């Protein structure tokens, strides 16, 4: 519609200019003819009166500018025409022309004047439709054209839009790749993006489902693990409170059992808090404070010796020999986490060992300059199908042995998350009936500690 209006206005100006040029040329010719005829007449006014031209206004002007004759008005009623541009030009050069708009703006007047041989000037004037008049004359046909164009455009656009939308309606958003054959080439990147996002959503849903399963399993396990020592403590305490203990020996026996179960409970709570802090640290954004501890230089060989001394008595009771093969190596890390990592690895190696077996604590630097620590044992080993599960929370390779030795099932989970916190990698090598070696490899140490 905007284009139609614009072209209508421009067309009106073009038509008006074209008609004006044609009318001016025709008016000039007629003026020259009438002037030539008047030059041959002895009495010009009778001749002018004999001309029957209602479409032209003919005026004869004297040398002083007064009107001698006008075919539309009485000469006495007309003002002096000596100052009219076309008349002034005709007196000076022999001919003149001018164009003036009417007061109603819907037409213009074209004037042509020629000087006669006797000094008078004959002037012809003709009305020419203006732009407004031409526009008004074009309104009706333009409205009809616009209406016809609108109807035609509606049906054409409806048909074309249906044809364009058809491939879009056939897209299967649940399986975008199936729509590649019938889709526009421009749609393929969008479909690929949808497919990628769909796969990512499926992956995230699987992760969420797995996390929910782990949460439920963790809740069930932690409830069971907390309930077991609490039940024992409550039972022994109830016996003591009800006076059902006979003699000092039974009292000390029950007190010792309460002490051991309380220690087991405290260890479990401590492991849960450690894991909770590590989980929070892994989810924390950059710059967010997490209560894990400050990093500092740690001499791995010294940390290994400290753990070895703490576990010597436990190893002796289990008839296991614990030793070390260390080389000086320093890493940047959280001392408490490194200590727990080494302790849990060594404690597990003792717990799942054989009578007369050995546990070897090692540290040093590999061929690529990576600091490492390793714990090797000659224990029962881990089956290949279980090696990927041992770092899960509350997972036990031998549940009866772990229960008997007081394991919480969180030790290797702490090892895994402590290694992740230090950007280290874990490697497990095990063979049933031969033993297990777990190696923790740290990044090459920089001059400045990692965050």
């Amino acid at each position: 519609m905007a284009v139609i209006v614009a072209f209508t206005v421009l067309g009106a100006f073009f038509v008006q200019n074209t008609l004006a040029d044609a009318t001016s040329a025709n008016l000039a010719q007629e003026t020259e003819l009438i002037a030539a005829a008047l030059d041959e007449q002895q009495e010009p006014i009778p001749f002018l009166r004999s001309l029957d031209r209602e479409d032209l206004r003919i005026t004869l002007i004297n040398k002083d500018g007064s009107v001698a004759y006008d075919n539309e008005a009485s000469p006495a009623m007309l003002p002096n025409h000596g100052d009219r541009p076309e008349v002034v030009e005709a007196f000076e050069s022999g001919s003149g022309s001018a164009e003036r708009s009417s007061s109603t703006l819907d037409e213009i007047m074209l004037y042509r004047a020629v000087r006669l041989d006797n000094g008078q000037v004959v002037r012809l004037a003709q009305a020419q439709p203006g732009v407004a008049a031409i526009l008004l004359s074009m309104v009706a046909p333009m409205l009809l054209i616009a209406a016809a164009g609108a109807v035609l455009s509606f049906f054409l656009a409806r048909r074309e839009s249906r044809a364009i939308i058809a491939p879009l309606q056939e897209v299967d958003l649940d399986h975008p790749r199936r729509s590649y054959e019938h889709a526009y080439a421009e749609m393929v990147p969008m479909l690929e993006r949808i497919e990628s996002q769909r796969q990512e959503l499926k992956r995230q849903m699987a992760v969420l489902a797995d996390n929910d399963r782990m949460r439920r399993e963790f809740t069930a396990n932690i409830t069971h693990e907390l309930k077991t020592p609490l039940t024992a403590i409550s039972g022994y305490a109830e016996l003591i409170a009800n006076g059902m203990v006979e003699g000092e020996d039974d009292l000390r026996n029950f007190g010792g059992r309460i002490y051991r179960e309380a220690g087991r409970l405290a260890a479990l709570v401590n492991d849960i808090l450690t894991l909770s802090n590590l989980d929070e640290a892994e989810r924390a954004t950059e710059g967010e404070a997490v209560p894990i501890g400050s990093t500092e230089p740690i001499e791995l060989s010294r940390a290994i010796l400290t753990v070895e001394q703490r576990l010597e008595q436990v190893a002796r009771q289990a008839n296991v020999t614990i030793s070390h093969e260390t080389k000086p190596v320093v890493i940047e890390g959280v001392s408490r986490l490194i200590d727990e990592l080494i302790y849990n690895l060594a404690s597990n190696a003792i717990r799942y060992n054989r009578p007369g077996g050995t546990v070897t604590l090692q540290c040093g630097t590999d061929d690529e300059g990576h600091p490492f620590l390793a714990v090797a044992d000659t224990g029962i080993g881990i089956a290949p199908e279980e090696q990927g599960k041992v770092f899960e929370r509350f997972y036990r390779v031998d549940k009866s042995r772990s229960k008997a030795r007081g394991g919480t099932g969180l030790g290797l989970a702490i090892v895994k998350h402590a290694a992740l916190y230090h950007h280290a990698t874990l490697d497990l090598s095990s063979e049933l009936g031969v033993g297990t070696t777990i190696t923790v490899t740290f990044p090459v140490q920089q001059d400045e500690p990692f965050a």
Side-chain angles (χ1 to χ4, degrees):
M1 296 304 295
V3 170
I4 290 175
V5 171
F7 273 95
T8 299
V9 173
L10 292 175
F13 277 101
F14 176 78
V15 170
Q16 193 273 334
N17 288 331
T18 302
L19 290 176
D21 292 341
T23 302
S24 296
N26 184 62
L27 189 64
Q29 291 179 357
E30 292 203 42
T31 306
E32 294 291 341
L33 289 175
I34 292 176
L38 288 175
D39 285 334
E40 296 178 0
Q41 300 294 325
Q42 295 294 328
E43 297 292 334
I45 293 178
F47 171 75
L48 292 176
R49 287 175 178 169
S50 67
L51 296 177
D52 186 15
R53 297 296 301 273
E54 296 181 356
D55 59 326
L56 292 177
R57 182 174 184 178
I58 304 174
T59 305
L60 184 64
I61 304 168
N62 296 320
K63 294 180 181 180
D64 60 358
S66 60
V67 177
Y69 172 80
D70 189 277
N71 65 342
E72 292 186 1
S74 171
M77 302 297 294
L78 295 175
N80 190 286
H81 281 36
D83 58 348
R84 304 297 169 87
E86 67 278 6
V87 175
V88 173
E89 187 178 358
F91 278 130
E92 293 178 354
S93 61
S95 64
S97 59
E99 180 180 311
R100 288 190 285 277
S101 299
S102 68
S103 58
T104 59
L105 300 178
D106 60 350
E107 68 177 11
I108 59 174
M109 292 297 294
L110 301 178
Y111 296 93
R112 180 71 178 180
V114 174
R115 187 181 61 199
L116 302 178
D117 292 341
N118 60 8
Q120 291 180 308
V121 170
V122 60
R123 187 189 72 174
L124 272 64
Q126 186 172 1
Q128 171 68 36
V131 173
I134 294 175
L135 282 174
L136 287 174
S137 67
M138 296 174 67
V139 167
M142 285 298 102
L143 287 177
L144 291 175
I145 292 174
V151 173
L152 181 62
S153 297
F154 173 78
F155 286 105
L156 289 176
R158 187 177 182 183
R159 187 188 68 178
E160 292 301 318
S161 63
R162 286 179 176 177
I164 292 171
I165 292 173
L168 296 176
Q169 293 176 331
E170 294 176 1
V171 171
D172 184 359
L173 293 180
D174 292 330
H175 304 88
R177 289 177 179 171
R178 297 179 183 176
S179 306
Y180 285 1
E181 182 178 353
H182 303 290
Y184 297 123
E186 294 81 2
M187 292 171 58
V188 172
M190 179 192 70
L191 294 176
E192 291 178 348
R193 182 69 177 272
I194 293 174
E195 175 65 19
S196 174
Q197 292 178 345
R198 193 176 72 88
Q199 294 297 333
E200 178 63 18
L201 285 174
K202 287 179 63 178
R203 186 192 67 78
Q204 291 180 2
M205 289 176 65
V207 170
L208 289 174
D210 188 56
N211 288 343
D212 184 63
R213 176 188 61 80
M214 292 176 63
R215 179 190 61 78
R216 286 186 277 106
E217 290 179 357
F218 180 79
T219 302
N221 285 326
I222 198 63
T223 301
H224 175 74
E225 294 294 338
L226 289 173
K227 186 177 180 180
T228 300
L230 284 173
T231 301
I233 292 171
S234 177
Y236 294 135
E238 184 180 2
L239 291 175
I240 295 173
N242 291 334
M244 300 178 67
V245 179
E246 297 180 359
E248 187 71 21
D249 291 340
D250 286 344
L251 183 61
R252 289 183 178 179
N253 181 31
F254 287 173
R257 293 184 182 184
I258 291 174
Y259 177 77
R260 286 192 297 274
E261 293 297 335
R264 179 181 171 188
L265 184 61
L268 180 59
V269 171
N270 180 67
D271 286 348
I272 293 171
L273 290 175
T274 300
L275 274 175
S276 177
N277 288 337
L278 287 169
D279 285 341
E280 186 178 351
E282 290 175 14
R283 293 192 297 266
T285 57
E286 185 176 355
E288 185 177 349
V290 179
I292 291 292
S294 59
T295 59
E296 58 181 324
I298 301 171
E299 173 59 63
L300 286 182
S301 59
R302 186 175 303 169
I304 285 175
L305 289 176
T306 301
V307 171
E308 182 182 353
Q309 292 171 1
R310 287 159 54 193
L311 289 174
E312 280 181 350
Q313 183 64 29
V314 177
R316 192 176 299 114
Q317 291 175 355
N319 193 19
V320 173
T321 302
I322 185 169
S323 61
H324 64 272
E325 296 175 3
T326 60
K327 294 181 181 179
V329 59
V330 178
I331 66 167
E332 287 287 340
V334 179
S335 179
R336 177 175 64 85
L337 291 182
I338 296 299
D339 179 79
E340 290 202 35
L341 184 149
I342 300 171
Y343 183 89
N344 283 311
L345 286 176
S347 177
N348 259 34
I350 295 171
R351 183 178 299 112
Y352 292 95
N353 218 312
R354 301 175 182 276
T358 62
V359 173
T360 305
L361 310 180
Q362 303 170 332
C363 73
T365 306
D366 64 16
D367 295 337
E368 297 179 356
H370 294 271
F372 74 90
L373 67 86
V375 176
D377 65 60
T378 57
I380 62 174
I382 306 171
E385 64 272 12
E386 294 184 326
Q387 291 181 10
K389 304 176 184 178
V390 295
F391 294 101
E392 294 181 6
R393 302 173 191 194
F394 295 111
Y395 185 83
R396 297 182 178 90
V397 176
D398 187 342
K399 296 177 175 57
S400 61
R401 180 186 296 256
S402 181
K403 289 286 186 181
R405 301 294 178 86
T408 65
L410 296 176
L412 289 184
I414 292 175
V415 169
K416 171 187 174 181
H417 290 280
L420 287 174
Y421 182 81
H422 290 87
H423 310 295
T425 58
L426 283 171
D427 178 68
L428 185 149
S429 175
S430 184
E431 185 178 348
L432 283 175
V434 177
T436 301
T437 300
I438 297 179
T439 304
V440 184
T441 304
F442 296 90
V444 176
Q445 300 300 293
Q446 306 295 328
D447 294 336
E448 58 181 10
F450 59 83

